[in-house]
């Protein structure tokens, strides 16, 4: 029934001294916090021997032979690095044989980030175009060149320059079949999910480390989910609470942490305990890190958005705290157990409805969360097409990835004192989740996607720089004729071919300041914009135009679908922001694509189709309760129930379907099951 696998962790050195891996694993199993464990054979302090895999449990291990952490692990065990690597590889192969795909091997993620790329001599690479950048990405991921990621990490000494093979080279040296190794690889960049599957076709799963200090989850999910659909693979969401908001605190501010592992050495004679995860004292006072409500919403959103795996990174740090001689469950751990219980109770979470396919050029290299100073592939100056990609997600999720305002504390000491006093920190957390203009209804595909990838799509929107030739236009036209809507700009289509055979695109561009609705004559003032002059046949309807009658938005029916063509360059104004008219046209196009309307303040909505009806998730990221009505259009329920708390819902039938009255507390969520088939 499309179940999600929830994974926790057993970082031994991240919990109080005297607590073992075995105790952590036992306590998490006792509390039923998930379906298995993620164990890092490298890339983390401590020994971390993976536990045995029980019946029905899942396990993920991370390991790549050239990781300099392996030298530390080997020294801890009193063996050589080569001996340690041999032990890890044999363990991985043994577990692949024993439990099949309930075991996965991750061969890297953050080490693949293009910000760390360099040549063998440490100099930065130079690329003529984005195709060359992708070719370098493939080389970096597949070879030992990736070891240079660590070249400036002095804590590893000379081993940061080791010449050990990459995981893929190691597999080849061992004459093992990568298809039987249950491979997973990933990135902190959601936009690299497609590139991962293209680079390592044997990979079964993409690991997205969606660090809460980085990108909004709702922006990243469409990339990762879309890549999994395009390539027929799976996806893991690693909700990483690293690192927030003061990564390391001096012990003098947090004397309660004397029992905790001293991972960072000493500065001026003072211990530096890690404070980048939510940590609790024995009496359950949270000393730092994200709130339980934030973490719970992230896990829940990932589960309801269709993730195959949800990994609660650093769970041994955040879920457990020492209380005397035992491990007690923290408020974060309690929410983990509740999520796991929900995942067990709800037999069918359904399939997330994503009727809008966003299509980007294969080599785009754009991560929409990055600040303006960041560049595609961390190398190229962004252009208007890149601005359109970023602009779309800014419109879809206003204020995403931003802080809501200035922090109310002036220094680390005030921060700690405010938390100890019970200060409500939730309104000040980063918008890693936020209310959306539309429901979470998007998947991102790249321009090489086969027609089968668009099975769920009712509308296709081309974003960014791309030039569809006649062959690709014919493929798009076929998708339209099957009943889909296509939104495209004249600058995204090469001349000639199936769609543009009767549109003459001229080289001339002009500037405009107003948009006229052709059917009514209503004029809307806009910021200045540039459009291309076109001449069209009578089969094309002019929907929007300039006051002089020049077409800005054209529409034409093909088969059971329709094509919408913008002549405004990338739908942007001259300041690089989406035109209000462009956004308004998307509002009209998207509105009828899902059968639910939400009357009330803005919130996040995830709509899943189940075998017996619908499961509608609503997440309130505001400091006030959400009160409103969910209107079901064309849906005739036989039963409605709220599944998170297992409560009956207030609902009634209407002429066009039904309405549900909903209330969601601040910083919380609910899941309404709408059954159209009787229990």
């Amino acid at each position: 029934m499309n179940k999600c696998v929830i994974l926790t962790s057993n970082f031994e050195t991240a919990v109080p001294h005297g607590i073992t891996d075995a105790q952590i694993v036992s306590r998490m199993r006792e509390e039923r916090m998930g379906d298995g464990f993620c164990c890092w054979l490298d890339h983390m302090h401590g020994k971390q021997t993976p536990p045995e895999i029980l019946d029905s449990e899942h396990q993920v291990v991370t390991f790549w032979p050239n990781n300099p952490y392996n030298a530390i692990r080997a020294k801890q065990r009193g063996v050589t690095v080569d001996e340690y690597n041999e032990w890890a590889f044999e363990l991985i192969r043994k577990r692949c044989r024993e439990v099949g795909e309930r075991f996965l091997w991750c061969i890297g993620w953050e080490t693949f980030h293009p910000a760390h790329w360099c040549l063998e001599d440490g100099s930065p690479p130079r690329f003529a175009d984005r195709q060359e950048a992708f070719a370098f990405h493939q080389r970096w991921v597949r070879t030992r060149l990736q070891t240079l990621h660590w070249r400036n990490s002095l804590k590893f000494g000379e081993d940061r320059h080791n010449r050990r093979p990459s995981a893929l080279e190691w597999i080849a040296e061992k004459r093992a079949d990568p298809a039987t190794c249950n491979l997973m690889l990933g990135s902190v960049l959601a936009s690299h999910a497609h590139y991962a599957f293209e680079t390592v076709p044997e990979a079964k799963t993409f690991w997205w480390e969606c660090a809460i200090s980085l990108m909004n989850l709702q922006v990243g999910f469409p990339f990762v989910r879309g890549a999994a659909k395009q390539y027929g693979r799976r996806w893991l969401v690693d909700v990483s609470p690293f690192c927030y908001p003061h990564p390391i605190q001096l012990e003098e501010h947090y004397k309660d942490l004397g029992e905790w592992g001293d991972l960072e050495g000493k500065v001026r004679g003072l211990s530096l305990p890690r404070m980048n995860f939510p940590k609790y004292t024995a009496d359950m006072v949270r000393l730092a890190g994200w709130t339980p409500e934030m973490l719970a919403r992230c896990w829940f959103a990932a589960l309801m958005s269709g993730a195959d795996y949800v990994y609660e990174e650093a769970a041994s740090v955040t879920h457990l705290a020492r209380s005397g001689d035992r491990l007690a469950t923290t408020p974060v751990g309690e929410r983990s157990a509740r999520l796991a219980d929900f995942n067990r109770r709800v037999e069918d979470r359904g399939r997330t409805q994503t009727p809008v396919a966003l299509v980007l050029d294969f080599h785009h290299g754009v991560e929409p969360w990055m600040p303006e100073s960041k560049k595609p592939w961390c190398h190229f100056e962004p252009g208007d097409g890149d601005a359109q990609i970023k602009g779309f997600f800014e419109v879809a999720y206003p204020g995403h990835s931003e802080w809501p305002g200035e922090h109310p504390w002036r220094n680390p000491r005030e921060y700690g004192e405010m938390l100890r006093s019970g200060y409500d920190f939730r309104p000040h957390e980063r918008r890693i989740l936020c209310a959306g203009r539309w429901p979470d209804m998007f998947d991102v595909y790249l321009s090489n996607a086969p027609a089968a990838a668009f099975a769920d799509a009712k509308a296709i929107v081309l974003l960014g720089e791309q030039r569809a030739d006649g062959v690709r236009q014919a493929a798009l036209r076929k998708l339209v004729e099957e009943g889909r809507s296509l939104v495209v700009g004249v600058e995204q289509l090469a001349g000639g071919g199936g769609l543009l055979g009767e549109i003459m695109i001229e080289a001339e561009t002009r500037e405009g300041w107003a948009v006229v609705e052709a059917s009514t004559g209503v004029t809307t003032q806009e910021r200045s914009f540039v459009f291309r002059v076109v001449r069209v046949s009578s089969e094309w309807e002019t929907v929007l135009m300039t006051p002089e009658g020049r077409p800005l938005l054209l529409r034409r029916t093909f088969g059971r679908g329709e094509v919408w063509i913008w002549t405004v360059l990338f739908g942007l104004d001259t300041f690089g922001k989406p035109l209000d008219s462009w956004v308004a046209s998307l509002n009209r196009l998207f509105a009828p694509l899902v059968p639910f309307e939400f009357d009330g303040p803005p919130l996040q909505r995830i709509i899943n189709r189940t075998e017996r009806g619908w499961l509608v998730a609503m997440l309130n990221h505001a400091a006030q309760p959400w009160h409103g009505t969910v209107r079901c259009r064309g849906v005739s329920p036989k039963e409605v129930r709220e599944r998170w708390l297992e409560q009956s819902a207030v609902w009634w039938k209407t002429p066009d379907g039904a309405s549900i009255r909903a209330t969601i507390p601040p910083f919380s969520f609910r899941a309404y099951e709408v059954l159209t088939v009787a229990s």
Side-chain angles (χ1 to χ4, degrees):
M1 283 287 192
N2 186 26
K3 298 294 285 186
C4 180
V5 174
I6 299 174
L7 301 167
T8 56
S9 61
N10 64 328
F11 297 171
E12 62 178 31
T13 56
V15 298
H17 289 315
I19 302 297
T20 66
D21 271 11
Q23 288 174 285
I24 295 169
V25 169
S26 175
R27 190 79 179 97
M28 289 183 171
R29 283 172 174 162
E30 181 182 322
E31 292 294 323
R32 305 186 72 191
M33 289 181 180
D35 306 297
F37 297 91
C38 182
C39 310
W40 296 11
L41 297 182
D42 50 20
H43 211 61
M44 178 54 65
H45 306 270
K47 295 182 180 178
Q48 269 206 75
T49 300
E52 292 299 318
I53 304 174
L54 303 185
D55 291 344
S56 78
E57 271 191 354
H58 294 252
Q59 191 172 103
V60 172
V61 301
T62 72
F63 171 73
W64 45 103
N66 52 340
N67 193 321
Y69 271 107
N70 292 339
I72 299 173
R73 293 290 180 90
K75 185 177 180 180
Q76 289 172 330
R77 286 170 165 79
V79 299
T80 67
V81 178
D82 288 341
E83 288 172 332
Y84 177 75
N85 285 349
E86 290 290 344
W87 168 81
F89 184 73
E90 289 306 314
L91 173 71
I92 288 168
R93 299 295 290 139
K94 179 174 181 288
R95 297 206 168 172
C96 284
R97 292 190 300 269
E98 289 177 343
V99 301
E101 292 193 12
R102 284 194 289 121
F103 178 86
L104 293 172
W105 171 16
C106 180
I107 61 173
W109 68 98
E110 71 176 55
T111 48
F112 303 150
H113 197 300
H116 305 289
W117 288 353
C118 67
L119 301 176
E120 287 84 347
D121 61 1
S123 63
R126 297 284 184 264
F127 307 123
D129 52 35
R130 301 189 192 197
Q131 287 90 333
E132 287 189 4
F134 172 66
F136 190 87
H137 163 83
Q138 290 187 299
R139 179 185 171 201
W140 185 271
V141 168
R142 298 193 66 89
T143 71
R144 70 192 69 201
L145 186 64
Q146 65 191 235
T147 310
L148 293 171
H149 166 87
W150 307 99
R151 62 192 180 278
N152 297 318
S153 297
L154 300 181
K155 66 180 179 181
F156 293 115
E158 287 305 308
D159 201 63
R160 71 187 189 276
H161 302 304
N162 77 78
R163 296 297 297 160
R164 294 190 293 273
S166 69
L168 292 171
E169 291 171 327
W170 177 262
I171 291 170
E173 289 178 11
K174 295 292 184 182
R175 299 183 184 277
D177 181 0
T180 66
C181 293
N182 297 349
L183 297 181
M184 170 196 293
L185 75 160
S187 178
V188 297
L189 304 180
S191 59
H192 280 215
H194 301 81
Y195 303 140
F197 292 134
E198 190 75 19
T199 300
V200 186
E202 301 88 353
K204 299 180 184 295
T205 307
F206 179 80
W207 167 314
W208 179 35
E209 183 183 15
C210 48
I212 295 183
S213 59
L214 298 178
M215 185 166 78
N216 175 285
L217 272 62
Q218 296 147 281
V219 177
F221 287 163
F223 284 88
V224 185
R225 182 176 52 224
K229 288 182 179 180
Q230 179 171 334
Y231 288 88
R233 301 293 192 269
R234 293 173 294 187
W235 55 298
L236 176 147
V237 173
D238 168 11
V239 179
S240 171
F242 183 94
C243 130
Y244 172 85
H246 302 289
I248 296 175
Q249 300 297 340
L250 293 177
E251 187 180 74
E252 61 181 303
H253 299 312
Y254 301 103
K255 299 224 177 264
D256 309 58
L257 289 185
E259 69 211 32
W260 290 75
D262 177 16
L263 303 185
E264 300 300 323
K266 294 182 180 293
V267 173
R268 297 191 302 278
L270 295 171
S271 177
L272 288 175
R274 280 244 182 209
M275 293 301 297
N276 45 351
F277 301 116
K279 290 187 176 181
Y280 289 82
T281 63
D283 56 353
M284 295 305 161
V285 174
R286 183 171 58 86
L287 300 181
W290 299 89
T291 63
E293 291 84 356
M294 171 59 84
L295 288 169
R297 297 200 310 279
C298 289
W299 301 332
F300 179 77
L303 185 152
M304 290 301 299
S305 295
D308 297 290
Y309 305 86
V310 173
Y311 171 34
E312 300 170 5
E313 185 183 316
S316 57
V317 185
T318 60
H319 294 26
L320 304 171
R322 193 174 195 171
S323 180
D325 59 354
R326 63 184 290 271
L327 278 176
T329 302
T330 68
V332 174
E334 291 171 357
R335 282 160 176 80
S336 171
R338 290 185 64 186
L339 182 78
D341 176 65
F342 172 83
N343 194 40
R344 287 187 292 268
R345 282 189 287 105
V346 178
E347 295 181 356
D348 184 8
R349 62 172 167 164
R351 182 179 174 86
T352 305
Q353 296 301 284
T354 52
V356 180
L358 308 174
V359 182
L360 281 59
D361 181 72
F362 179 81
H363 298 100
H364 69 92
V366 176
E367 184 79 357
W369 73 270
M370 284 187 171
E372 293 300 319
S373 60
K374 301 292 184 180
K375 303 176 180 181
W377 291 107
C378 296
H379 181 83
F380 299 96
E381 291 300 326
D384 288 342
D386 306 317
Q388 186 189 39
I389 296 171
K390 291 184 178 182
F392 176 87
F393 286 102
E394 289 167 359
V395 165
Y397 302 107
H400 78 77
S401 308
E402 297 176 357
W403 296 99
E406 292 293 324
H407 293 317
W409 56 83
R410 291 172 296 180
N411 53 54
R413 185 184 298 277
E414 280 193 0
Y415 167 67
E417 290 172 351
M418 291 172 73
L419 287 184
R420 290 170 185 276
S421 68
Y423 182 79
D424 187 358
F425 178 60
R426 297 174 301 176
H428 305 285
E429 295 188 285
R430 201 160 170 269
R431 294 193 184 104
I432 198 69
L433 292 169
C434 64
R437 174 184 295 270
W438 305 295
D440 295 358
M441 57 194 295
F442 312 105
D443 282 328
V444 171
Y445 302 107
L446 301 190
S447 53
N448 65 329
F454 297 92
D456 296 333
K458 299 177 182 177
I460 301 171
V461 181
L462 269 59
L463 295 176
E465 301 256 2
Q466 49 191 302
R467 297 285 286 173
D469 59 16
V471 173
R472 187 162 166 237
Q473 286 183 41
L476 288 169
R477 175 167 175 167
K478 188 174 186 303
L479 291 170
V480 170
E481 290 172 343
E482 293 172 352
R484 298 174 181 87
S485 297
L486 172 66
V487 180
V488 63
V490 291
E491 70 284 356
Q492 294 166 324
L493 295 169
L499 290 179
L500 294 183
E502 299 175 25
I503 293 183
M504 183 69 75
I505 304 174
E506 300 183 1
E508 180 185 2
T509 59
R510 297 193 180 185
E511 192 169 5
W513 291 268
V515 174
V516 179
E517 189 172 341
S519 63
T520 64
V522 173
T523 300
T524 302
Q525 295 300 315
E526 286 275 11
R527 301 174 298 275
S528 64
F529 57 88
V530 175
F531 67 96
R532 194 168 294 281
V533 176
V534 299
R535 287 182 286 132
V536 299
S537 64
S538 59
E539 286 82 3
W540 289 91
E541 172 194 357
T542 298
V543 180
L544 299 176
M545 60 186 182
T546 66
E548 298 77 28
R550 298 281 188 181
L552 298 176
L553 175 60
L554 297 160
R555 175 188 175 276
R556 182 177 175 183
T557 299
F558 288 93
R560 294 186 290 116
E562 56 189 11
V563 176
W564 302 77
I565 293 185
W566 278 90
T567 65
V568 178
L569 300 186
F570 295 106
L572 301 175
D573 61 24
T574 53
F575 302 96
K577 300 298 182 183
L579 280 184
D580 291 342
S581 299
W582 187 77
V583 175
S585 71
L586 296 181
N587 284 337
R588 290 191 293 270
L589 178 63
F590 295 166
L593 298 184
V594 292
F596 296 93
E597 293 182 14
F598 301 82
D599 296 335
L603 82 167
Q604 181 184 359
R605 298 89 80 200
I606 304 169
I607 300 168
N608 290 2
R609 192 75 164 96
T610 68
E611 290 188 4
R612 296 169 52 208
W614 304 83
L615 189 61
V616 180
M618 302 163 62
L619 293 86
N620 179 18
H621 308 303
Q624 302 79 33
W626 189 90
H627 301 286
T629 302
V630 182
R631 293 194 287 128
C632 316
R633 298 191 315 267
V635 175
S636 299
K638 296 185 182 298
E639 184 180 351
V640 180
R641 185 170 181 81
E642 199 288 305
R643 296 304 309 272
W644 179 252
L645 298 179
E646 292 293 11
Q647 295 178 340
S648 58
V650 177
W651 67 283
W652 59 95
K653 291 185 177 293
T654 63
D656 63 343
S659 290
I660 306 166
R661 182 174 299 143
T663 296
I664 307 172
F667 308 110
S668 189
F669 50 84
R670 295 292 184 264
Y672 287 89
E673 187 175 47
V674 180
L675 297 178
T676 55
V677 177
S679 300

